[in-house]
Amino acid sequence: MKRKIASSKLRSAAFTRTRADHSAELAHDYCELIAELIDEKGEARGTDIALRLGVSNATVAKTMKRFSDQGLVEQEPYRAIFLTADGWKLAEDGRRKHAIVEQFLLALGISSKVAQVDAEGIEHHVSDETLKAMARFLARN
Amino acid sequence: MKRKIASSKLRSAAFTRTRADHSAELAHDYCELIAELIDEKGEARGTDIALRLGVSNATVAKTMKRFSDQGLVEQEPYRAIFLTADGWKLAEDGRRKHAIVEQFLLALGISSKVAQVDAEGIEHHVSDETLKAMARFLARN
DNA sequence: CAGAAAGTTTAGCTAGTGCTAAACTTTTGC
DNA sequence: GCAAAAGTTTAGCACTAGCTAAACTTTCTG
């Protein structure tokens, strides 16, 4: 019965991680997008974020307030949004993972549209070990 | 500018899908586990589900009521939980995807523990195209 | 430079997913 | 066959993440 108990613990751990991941995922997505907008235009405005994320302005405002409390972004009232050091860390981490996963999927023969969408979903759920294996695979192909 | 607009739409679509996926993910996880418990013990009791999912009994009860309204599970008061045809469909779909992703990760050289956990996270985010590519890769290796 | 347009914030709503504590039912063990 | 243990349900709370509508501020334009 040892195996079953172990696998049950593993499942519960994975599930717990899944739940915790959902909010982290959102933070990653927002920070990645804000970083992109800053690179493109020098600043990230609420409307642009809302438009690209497919979400209302109000939702962005509320989320930005939460993230500001968590120290991920900085913002003056009625002004654009910027990332803190922590925010940049999340953004860079996300970009790195995203790039590896997307390249990996392309190398596997996935079409570029699907690779982009799947990479977005997968990037938040790959461990470092898996990421390294993907990078290794890419290096060999 | 066409490329940028297209890529922005794609991002928004991916993000929208991510959000919609979160509740579907939960349904998949519950149904998969219920299926497992039924296979193992002939029935799925609330306590067992709660224990394996690392969640309180009350949460399971509430979720089961919701799923019952959605036609995924069937339950008499104070009795065990069973899957409807739709519930079984979700469970089987999840198991199939999980198996392919896990095998794929193992083939990539990931350790079995990590493969199990990562597969749990990834299985909900792979398109059919990617799943097929993984199966193809497995067949060739 | 005043009024319109664009953008932001706030208020108030919904739904999902989690919790604890208390009430209730079923099962078990003496 | 009754009392204790085990399991289930309900009530009530919190937080996240979304929405619309309305109020407010900033920017643009004639």
Side-chain angles (χ1 to χ4, degrees):
Chain A
M1 271 322 210
K2 219 166 160 204
R3 243 183 71 257
K4 253 174 205 159
I5 287 160
S7 110
S8 146
K9 260 190 203 147
L10 212 56
R11 168 188 285 284
S12 155
F15 188 76
T16 302
R17 209 190 66 164
T18 297
R19 267 174 335 214
D21 278 1
H22 283 169
S23 62
E25 227 176 287
L26 196 77
H28 265 96
D29 283 341
Y30 270 93
C31 289
E32 258 181 273
L33 174 56
I34 292 167
E36 234 174 72
L37 285 168
I38 289 174
D39 285 353
E40 262 176 47
K41 328 193 172 186
E43 60 171 25
R45 279 150 68 252
T47 313
D48 291 339
I49 299 176
L51 192 71
R52 294 233 193 156
L53 250 29
V55 125
S56 76
N57 287 347
T59 297
V60 170
K62 203 195 273 186
T63 305
M64 287 309 101
K65 177 167 278 172
R66 223 174 42 245
F67 283 8
S68 176
D69 291 346
Q70 291 169 217
L72 295 175
V73 305
E74 265 165 357
Q75 185 187 23
E76 307 283 297
Y78 295 99
R79 288 278 110 87
I81 291 137
F82 295 93
L83 294 171
T84 62
D86 280 0
W88 277 112
K89 226 181 288 169
L90 276 200
E92 290 308 337
D93 186 55
R95 285 162 150 183
R96 191 186 112 253
K97 284 185 182 168
H98 187 107
I100 294 176
V101 173
E102 188 172 342
Q103 283 309 114
F104 177 79
L105 290 176
L106 290 172
L108 216 64
I110 309 298
S111 72
S112 79
K113 234 178 247 181
V114 173
Q116 217 176 312
V117 173
D118 279 21
E120 196 85 49
I122 294 174
E123 76 179 78
H124 305 293
H125 301 279
V126 287
S127 60
D128 275 356
E129 185 181 338
T130 298
L131 215 57
K132 263 183 209 142
M134 287 181 174
R136 219 183 311 128
F137 179 90
L138 279 172
R140 271 206 311 263
N141 288 258
Chain B
M1 271 319 206
K2 218 164 159 207
R3 244 182 70 256
K4 255 180 202 152
I5 288 162
S7 111
S8 147
K9 260 191 203 148
L10 212 55
R11 169 189 282 285
S12 155
F15 188 75
T16 302
R17 208 190 66 160
T18 297
R19 270 174 333 214
D21 278 2
H22 283 170
S23 63
E25 228 176 287
L26 195 78
H28 265 97
D29 283 342
Y30 270 92
C31 288
E32 258 181 273
L33 174 56
I34 293 167
E36 233 175 72
L37 286 168
I38 290 173
D39 285 354
E40 261 176 45
K41 326 191 172 188
E43 59 172 25
R45 278 149 70 252
T47 313
D48 292 338
I49 299 176
L51 193 72
R52 294 232 193 157
L53 250 30
V55 125
S56 76
N57 287 348
T59 297
V60 170
K62 205 195 271 190
T63 305
M64 287 308 102
K65 178 167 279 173
R66 221 172 44 244
F67 284 7
S68 176
D69 291 346
Q70 293 169 215
L72 294 175
V73 306
E74 264 164 359
Q75 186 187 24
E76 306 284 297
Y78 295 100
R79 287 279 109 86
I81 290 136
F82 295 92
L83 293 171
T84 62
D86 280 1
W88 276 111
K89 228 181 287 173
L90 276 200
E92 290 307 337
D93 186 55
R95 285 161 150 184
R96 191 187 112 252
K97 285 185 181 166
H98 187 106
I100 294 176
V101 173
E102 188 171 344
Q103 284 309 114
F104 177 80
L105 290 175
L106 290 172
L108 215 64
I110 309 297
S111 73
S112 80
K113 234 179 249 184
V114 173
Q116 217 176 313
V117 173
D118 279 20
E120 197 86 48
I122 294 173
E123 75 178 80
H124 306 293
H125 301 279
V126 287
S127 61
D128 275 356
E129 185 180 338
T130 299
L131 215 58
K132 265 183 206 140
M134 288 181 174
R136 219 183 310 127
F137 179 90
L138 279 173
R140 269 207 311 263
N141 288 260

